[in-house]
Amino acid sequence: KKKIYIQKKKSEDTMRELLELKEFETIIVNPDYKDRYKCMDKNSFRDLIEFIHAFDSNDEEADVLDFIKIGYKRNVGETITFKNYVGLIQMKNNYQIQVLPKIEFLHGEKDKTKQVFMKMLRSMKDFPAKVFSNANLKVDRMNLYEVFISMYLQEVRRLVKHGLKASYVKREENLNVYKGKLIVSEHIKSNFIHKERFYIGFEEYQINRPENRLLKSTLMKLQKISSSAENTKEIRQLLTAFELVDISRNYDKDFSRVIIDRNTKDYEILMKWSKVFLKGNSFTTFSGTDNARSLLFPMEKVFEAYVAKHMKKIFSSYNLEVSTQDRGHYLFSTLNGKEHRKFALRPDIVVKRDGKSVAILDTKWKSLINDKGVNYGISQMDMYQMYAYSKKYDTPEIWLLYPVNSAMKDCGEIIFDSGDGVTVSLFFVDLLEIEKSMKKLLDSLQRNWDK
């Protein structure tokens, strides 16, 4: 029996195997090079390739191979590299791959990649950040999927504490007591003999509504897939609040019945996350197969949201308005002399003072290189875009924001000048010291405005 138990435990540990890597690190199957690359067993590697090819997209122009690259290195063999998307993939054999962002810590700090990443995710509008803090999550001990489950459970706990929403539900029953409205035709048909009964229609106030059914179904699914004792204990406790709620028999039908308004605002984020857990939706345009799960985040969007959130916090004290994904400007306004606005411009961040645009900023999740000869690695298309922003928004203050790295930390001021009134300045954001970075950025902008 002891031998059987040991074998079973070993099997469970294998099923929960976790490979952790960072963006741009490469996965291989050749153990001879495991000191240089992340190594997987052949079967799991095959499953991962199958998983990648099975990804589906709602966007015709999107290609999963744009962010998960399958390649080949001489002597090493087949390779898989993740870029610009981070998160967790769990394949059908429960082998988990956790991809963390590439973040550099430049002042001798301990590697806090996962903690910083979780703070960055809090900036995304669909993330359940209301009750999230690093203090009540064992971020270091949990894989990302368990962290997300824990955050979801905290949000459900908050909802339960305030009370599950109830609503009036129409019902028809043949009862010995009279209430509501007598349904005459059904009453005559059903109670010709039983004169003591009444076939009635009435409304009953109950919590068995679509939102709560979806929450209960999500909790029950998470109870099956969670490998965290803390999470499963929390789920058991939460389920007691849903005893009078049915499970959802049709996810799509119940999701279609969910209406988020003033009374159901507390359900908004939970419903989005229930879709993630119940239907395999993710934060990309891609979704995996039914027997695999993924939670992948586009780092371009995460970085933009993180910068914008803290920029708004710092800049608001100086009567500056910060908006994201600004709309209203187009590259062309007429076609053959007639109004025809085409090629919309969508700068990441616009700073306004007294309603007028004073600075345009675009965030780029890319590590630059300290080499003037190759323009520091800046994309030529990005520069064309910055020039168009300056002309259309009528401001010379154009900035490109990149995460700081060791190569660029002491590079000094870098400003590109077009010679016709357009300047593009570079700024490097310290992700660990985000508020200090935003104050430094504000100081740089104000110096330019005071000239």
Side-chain angles (χ1 to χ4, degrees):
K1 288 184 179 177
K2 186 175 181 182
K3 185 178 179 182
I4 293 171
Y5 170 76
I6 292 171
Q7 287 178 340
K8 184 178 179 182
K9 186 165 191 319
K10 185 178 179 182
S11 174
E12 287 174 352
D13 290 340
T14 303
M15 291 291 281
R16 293 175 184 172
E17 191 171 352
L18 174 70
L19 177 69
E20 185 170 290
L21 65 150
K22 291 186 179 178
E23 283 179 286
F24 306 105
E25 286 188 322
T26 297
I27 303 172
I28 62 170
V29 290
N30 188 340
D32 294 339
Y33 293 86
K34 63 182 180 182
D35 293 337
R36 292 170 54 189
Y37 304 100
K38 297 290 182 176
C39 193
M40 288 175 72
D41 66 89
K42 287 184 179 179
N43 290 335
S44 296
F45 191 87
R46 290 286 115 214
D47 286 343
L48 178 56
I49 288 181
E50 181 185 330
F51 176 83
I52 293 168
H53 285 304
F55 262 41
D56 188 26
S57 173
N58 296 324
D59 184 348
E60 291 182 4
E61 297 181 2
D63 187 348
V64 66
L65 295 179
D66 288 341
F67 71 89
I68 306 178
K69 182 180 179 183
I70 300 173
Y72 185 89
K73 287 183 181 290
R74 182 180 294 179
N75 299 325
V76 177
E78 288 184 288
T79 62
I80 297 174
T81 307
F82 290 80
K83 56 179 182 178
N84 294 335
Y85 279 77
V86 300
L88 187 124
I89 292 175
Q90 181 164 311
M91 294 175 295
K92 58 188 177 185
N93 66 351
N94 280 342
Y95 193 105
Q96 295 177 335
I97 300 167
Q98 183 167 280
V99 186
L100 295 174
K102 185 179 179 182
I103 299 174
E104 291 196 38
F105 301 94
L106 307 178
H107 307 292
E109 306 98 339
K110 177 174 120 172
D111 190 333
K112 297 181 179 179
T113 298
K114 199 183 291 186
Q115 291 93 326
V116 173
F117 177 48
M118 296 308 296
K119 287 181 180 178
M120 293 177 77
L121 288 180
R122 290 182 65 188
S123 306
M124 298 186 77
K125 65 178 182 178
D126 295 338
F127 212 73
K130 293 178 184 175
V131 293
F132 165 71
S133 71
N134 280 341
N136 55 11
L137 283 177
K138 309 297 187 293
V139 172
D140 287 327
R141 290 198 291 107
M142 290 182 177
N143 68 50
L144 288 176
Y145 207 86
E146 294 295 342
V147 172
F148 299 145
I149 291 174
S150 183
M151 295 173 74
Y152 179 84
L153 298 179
Q154 287 181 51
E155 194 77 354
V156 176
R157 172 68 70 186
R158 186 187 68 84
L159 176 69
V160 168
K161 186 177 179 182
H162 289 136
L164 298 177
K165 296 295 182 186
S167 59
Y168 285 101
V169 178
K170 290 183 179 181
R171 294 183 58 187
E172 292 183 7
E173 283 193 39
N174 201 20
L175 301 176
N176 289 329
V177 294
Y178 185 88
K179 61 178 179 178
K181 182 180 179 182
L182 185 70
I183 304 176
V184 177
S185 58
E186 289 296 328
H187 176 70
I188 294 171
K189 190 188 304 181
S190 303
N191 298 324
F192 184 75
I193 297 174
H194 297 284
K195 304 294 185 183
E196 76 283 3
R197 294 182 185 172
F198 304 93
Y199 198 98
I200 51 175
F202 59 96
E203 288 188 337
E204 189 172 68
Y205 197 61
Q206 56 176 255
I207 61 172
N208 188 26
R209 54 188 287 169
E211 298 90 339
N212 294 332
R213 289 197 294 272
L214 291 165
L215 290 181
K216 183 172 184 176
S217 297
T218 307
L219 291 173
M220 293 183 72
K221 180 172 182 178
L222 294 179
Q223 189 176 35
K224 293 177 183 176
I225 65 177
S226 175
S227 58
S228 162
E230 293 174 17
N231 282 344
T232 52
K233 179 183 176 182
E234 177 72 8
I235 291 169
R236 284 196 302 272
Q237 292 174 351
L238 287 171
L239 281 171
T240 60
F242 291 82
E243 288 180 353
L244 299 178
V245 178
D246 297 333
I247 62 169
S248 176
R249 302 293 180 186
N250 186 322
Y251 297 156
D252 289 332
K253 187 175 181 180
D254 276 342
F255 276 121
S256 70
R257 291 176 173 177
V258 173
I259 298 174
I260 301 299
D261 54 25
R262 187 177 60 184
N263 294 322
T264 57
K265 191 70 177 172
D266 289 345
Y267 286 83
E268 185 173 13
I269 291 175
L270 283 169
M271 288 299 97
K272 291 175 181 177
W273 274 79
S274 285
K275 276 189 179 179
V276 169
F277 290 126
L278 289 176
K279 301 186 65 181
N281 290 11
S282 193
F283 293 87
T284 70
T285 58
F286 303 96
S287 58
T289 57
D290 291 338
N291 54 7
R293 299 193 302 275
S294 67
L295 274 172
L296 294 170
F297 299 84
M299 279 307 298
E300 285 279 1
K301 295 296 181 186
V302 175
F303 182 47
E304 177 193 325
Y306 190 50
V307 169
K309 176 185 175 181
H310 291 280
M311 189 182 291
K312 287 176 181 178
K313 181 179 178 182
I314 301 300
F315 283 37
S316 62
S317 303
Y318 295 83
N319 295 319
L320 294 169
E321 178 190 347
V322 177
S323 61
T324 57
Q325 293 297 312
D326 190 73
R327 295 170 180 268
H329 287 74
Y330 292 80
L331 199 56
F332 299 99
S333 55
T334 64
L335 176 63
N336 295 334
K338 295 181 181 179
E339 185 177 346
H340 190 75
R341 297 192 298 174
K342 285 293 178 183
F343 301 101
L345 299 176
R346 297 281 186 271
D348 292 340
I349 300 169
V350 176
V351 179
K352 295 180 181 179
R353 183 168 53 191
D354 299 326
K356 183 182 178 183
S357 301
V358 290
I360 309 296
L361 307 98
D362 250 29
T363 55
K364 303 295 179 184
W365 184 252
K366 181 180 181 180
S367 292
L368 294 191
I369 52 177
N370 197 356
D371 185 348
K372 259 193 265 187
V374 292
N375 297 320
Y376 305 101
I378 299 169
S379 160
Q380 189 164 332
M381 288 302 298
D382 286 344
M383 280 303 198
Y384 289 158
Q385 191 177 38
M386 298 306 106
Y387 187 86
Y389 288 162
S390 178
K391 293 300 182 182
K392 288 296 179 178
Y393 279 81
D394 192 26
T395 174
E397 282 291 321
I398 307 296
W399 291 71
L400 282 169
L401 276 51
Y402 296 89
V404 69
N405 62 54
S406 54
M408 305 301 294
K409 69 172 183 175
D410 298 318
C411 63
E413 195 175 61
I414 300 176
I415 302 173
F416 292 86
D417 193 327
S418 69
D420 64 351
V422 177
T423 60
V424 178
S425 305
L426 305 190
F427 184 83
F428 298 95
V429 179
D430 187 335
L431 300 173
L432 189 62
E433 301 286 350
I434 184 67
E435 291 197 9
K436 285 184 181 178
S437 270
M438 293 303 99
K439 287 176 182 175
K440 185 178 176 182
L441 175 61
L442 177 61
D443 289 342
S444 297
L445 284 166
Q446 287 181 322
R447 280 198 302 272
N448 288 354
W449 293 334
D450 292 340
K451 286 179 183 178

